Amino acid sequence: QVQLVESGGGLVQPGGSLRLSCAASGSMFFIYAMSWYRQAPGKQRELVALITTGGDTSYVDSVKGRFTISRDNAKNTVYLQMNSLKPEDTAVYYCNLRSAAGTAWGQGTQVTVSL
């Protein structure tokens, strides 16, 4: 069983930056991809960024050029660097891991972008 623990959320002013981290532990094998989702109040959860085991990345259009996903395989950790943050980026951000054993979710970390 895989456990995911996110950290790095908080309150930031528009135009600011945050870096989210997600540390994975437990039984991990044949990992396909790790990703970040977010869910704003009253909205559906959406995929923000994804990185495959091979290092390929993809992003939702609204964050392209502002967010960067990366991973440290030695630490089983995935990061989301968020720059030029906007109020519409406010949401709970969730880490996700897909492997041959199934899908795991973190508990979520709140990101609030406001003056």
Side-chain angles (χ1 to χ4, degrees), residues 14-108:
S17 298
L18 283 175
R19 187 194 194 205
L20 305 183
S21 300
C22 173
S25 62
S27 299
M28 294 177 289
F29 60 97
F30 298 118
I31 295 174
Y32 301 141
M34 295 187 73
S35 53
W36 288 96
Y37 286 72
R38 66 185 179 187
Q39 187 166 19
K43 294 187 177 181
Q44 289 188 330
R45 189 172 297 189
E46 68 169 348
L47 175 62
V48 176
L50 177 146
I51 185 165
T52 67
T53 301
D56 294 327
T57 59
S58 61
Y59 301 89
V60 66
D61 285 346
S62 60
V63 308
K64 285 181 180 178
R66 300 189 298 122
F67 290 11
T68 302
I69 189 170
S70 61
R71 63 189 293 173
D72 184 332
N73 290 331
K75 296 182 179 180
N76 290 321
T77 300
V78 65
Y79 305 97
L80 186 66
Q81 178 66 44
M82 304 185 295
N83 300 327
S84 301
L85 282 161
K86 305 175 181 180
E88 50 264 43
D89 295 317
T90 296
V92 178
Y93 284 70
Y94 296 91
C95 180
N96 174 276
L97 182 150
R98 289 191 292 117
S99 72
T103 299
W105 290 92
Q107 81 285 355

